[in-house]
Amino acid sequence: MRVAIVGVGATPLRSLSTCASFRELVYEAAVRAYEDAGIAPKDVDTFVAVSEDYWEGTAIFDEYVPDQLGAVLKPVHTICADGITALGAAVMQLQTGRFRIAVVEGHAKPSNVLYPSHIEAFALDPVFVRPLGLNPRFVAGLGMRRFLAERDYTELDCARVVAQNRRHALDNPWAAHPAAVEPEDVLASEPLAEPLKELDVAPYADGAVVLVLATEEVARELRDDPVFIRGIGWAQDTPDLGQQDWGRAVYCELAAARAYRMAGIRDPVRELDLAEVDDTFSYKELQHLEALGLARPGDAAAMLKEGFFSRCGQLPVNPSGGNLGAGYLLDASGLRQVAEVVWQLRGEAGACQVPGAEVGLAQSWRGIPTAAGAVAVLAR
Amino acid sequence: MSVHIRDYPGIPLKDRDIGEGRVLTTEWHVKAQYAWDTGAALSRFFRALKEGKIYGRWCPGCDRIVVPPRMFCEWCFRPTVRWVEVCDTGRVNTFSVSYVNWDASRSAVPRVPAVIELDGASPGMGIMHLLGEVGDTLEEILRRVKVGMPVRAVWKPPAERQGAITDILYFAPCRDEGATEPGGCGCGGAVGADRAAPTTSGTDACGCGGGEG
């Protein structure tokens, strides 16, 4: 059974959102999504939300999910994973045949978290890693060092990712961090965990994203231009920092293989019209491009430099600005990527539009210290 | 199977083993601190508490006054559209007598958490708080507190209020039961006027399928 996205709603992403509670942010995104789908919350059969208690500051956060989604006294399924994994959970629920319409919700208010690094540190292994007493950004430093060494890439190659994505975001009115940044600015920025520097890191943003999904039959009743989830996959590597494959994003290779197989994609570079690829750290975009098969190992940096992945290149990557330009929404980032792809495939991406886009990909990573991610292939 | 096992292998841990560092322990104080944005609804609610007032919001779809206020109705999903001051009196929906301290020791004087349905808010709109002036022993509390009992808020002195739910110290039994009839609490009668305002009302109009109109 095929499943389509029939409604997309989001709030503009901003560094601060002091005028609205998380409930009010989610309500805004939900109202937009339901209007876009032409439904009311009473039409929704099941809800899937992503949340992480320590980012919210409330234990058992799932209890706070229903009200602002119109999900009171309905089936609600809250999962602790990235947004595209939640999308997969909703797809599976619809494919049981017991539900017709599903909603997926994610939000982030990192501006309300006073010490985000301490939350990430609490995710490190308490016996082996935490006692070392390091700021958790070192995990990205390790990943970047090994990846650059294996590929013979440079810090400048990573800096070009930042420059391209933040420039792409200049055309995205939803983006929180558009900037005309030059690669030299990135290289000159404050070192965090060498070789990682301040501008290599996607800055946080506050915001909410809500998607409405439906089975094919219902989707065609609701609108003329549903965007189908043609393929979806997710995978998770060991949490052991001593044993991950630092040079490759194996979780992404496996998730992509599943999604491509399901979607019948054999040559992703030719068959995809655009991709929203996780760039939470600059080097991760290059690593993920290779894992997705969009560049051969060792080619990604040169292709990016030559403009292959720019908005007017052969395969536009992160035309929205990515996490670097739009802002890092914690686990809701994957849902933002999916929303951007849906807008592209509908021709509603405004100044970010890739002309004639018909097939798009969204790929998420759950962030440090995880090696977990998901891939979705979307098409009209 | 386990009934055949006479001697279990292993050595049980004692407090002393942990205290004296004989086993590996790890301690971490997570800096999980937050500055939550209260947003449009609760900002006004907390500010009003400083003035000794309790505000709700009115939903035109369900003709409900919701307390604590929210900017949207979780039943019919329409925006709530008006601020309504409700009374600081109400009735006990349910209560408990809490004896257990954080470390599982017994409190000398039990505390009495209760759900208070505020006068002027819609039925079922309760806020969580404590009851006070209801006695120091279980027998006394059970004799004096009943489900449905009328109560009134006892506020902190104005200078000590912080715009927090603790600006209300507790709810105490009403001496004069007649004072808690709707509109009789002295909150200005705004409630009746607001409830008459909507042109559509009831569950049929809002289509939410839940609760009362």
Side-chain angles (χ1 to χ4, degrees), chain A residues 122-304:
Chain A
F122 202 51
L124 295 171
D125 185 289
V127 177
F128 287 104
V129 184
R130 234 188 281 155
L132 305 177
L134 291 160
N135 182 306
R137 285 287 148 89
F138 80 88
V139 179
L142 298 177
M144 186 168 174
R145 172 84 65 207
R146 179 76 198 190
F147 179 62
L148 296 191
E150 284 192 17
R151 292 288 182 271
D152 216 9
Y153 292 161
T154 64
E155 294 174 39
L156 178 61
D157 291 326
C158 299
R160 289 197 186 98
V161 173
V162 181
Q164 172 163 298
N165 290 356
R166 295 195 69 168
R167 210 168 262 284
H168 279 170
L170 285 167
D171 292 322
N172 183 355
W174 299 81
H177 303 291
V181 170
E182 300 301 332
E184 296 71 39
D185 302 331
V186 181
L187 295 177
S189 66
E190 200 79 39
L192 293 178
E194 281 282 359
L196 188 81
K197 293 164 292 301
E198 188 174 319
L199 291 191
D200 286 309
V201 182
Y204 290 117
D206 292 1
V209 183
V210 173
L211 305 175
V212 181
L213 276 58
T215 56
E216 178 163 12
E217 188 188 346
V218 177
R220 294 210 186 274
E221 283 169 23
L222 285 171
R223 62 187 310 145
D224 298 332
D225 58 351
V227 170
F228 287 92
I229 300 162
R230 292 283 175 85
I232 191 160
W234 53 93
Q236 187 160 355
D237 204 345
T238 172
D240 194 324
L241 296 182
Q243 279 147 48
Q244 288 175 10
D245 189 335
W246 291 96
R248 291 160 58 203
V250 183
Y251 54 89
C252 180
E253 293 172 14
L254 295 172
R258 290 201 178 104
Y260 289 155
R261 200 182 316 131
M262 198 171 153
I265 293 214
R266 289 191 179 78
D267 185 351
V269 176
R270 283 173 198 276
E271 293 177 64
L272 297 177
D273 296 313
L274 79 140
E276 287 284 327
V277 174
D278 179 89
D279 59 340
T280 304
F281 302 104
S282 58
Y283 79 96
K284 274 284 173 187
E285 174 170 315
L286 298 173
Q287 195 179 51
H288 288 145
L289 285 171
E290 297 182 358
L292 291 164
L294 303 182
R296 274 196 300 272
D299 287 353
M303 289 167 76
L304 186 114

Side-chain angles (χ1 to χ4, degrees), chain A residues 168 171 272-276 308-321 340-361 380:
Chain A
H168 279 170
D171 292 322
L272 297 177
D273 296 313
L274 79 140
E276 287 284 327
F308 192 89
F309 300 120
S310 77
R311 192 185 294 137
C312 42
Q314 279 152 281
L315 177 56
V317 167
N318 290 327
S320 68
E340 300 279 5
V341 174
V342 172
W343 286 327
Q344 287 282 355
L345 301 184
R346 285 190 199 159
E348 295 173 358
C352 295
Q353 184 66 46
V354 173
E358 289 178 358
V359 184
L361 174 144
R380 289 283 294 276

Side-chain angles (χ1 to χ4, degrees), chain A residues 320-345:
Chain A
S320 68
N323 290 344
L324 283 161
Y328 181 46
L329 285 180
L330 307 172
D331 288 323
S333 297
L335 298 179
R336 179 197 63 77
Q337 295 173 312
V338 171
E340 300 279 5
V341 174
V342 172
W343 286 327
Q344 287 282 355
L345 301 184

Side-chain angles (χ1 to χ4, degrees), chain A residues 54 115 118-119 121-122 130, chain B residues 26-33:
Chain A
Y54 271 96
Y115 304 101
H118 286 259
I119 302 302
F122 202 51
R130 234 188 281 155
Chain B
T26 177
E27 192 172 316
W28 189 267
H29 298 273
V30 61
K31 252 175 128 172
Q33 294 177 26

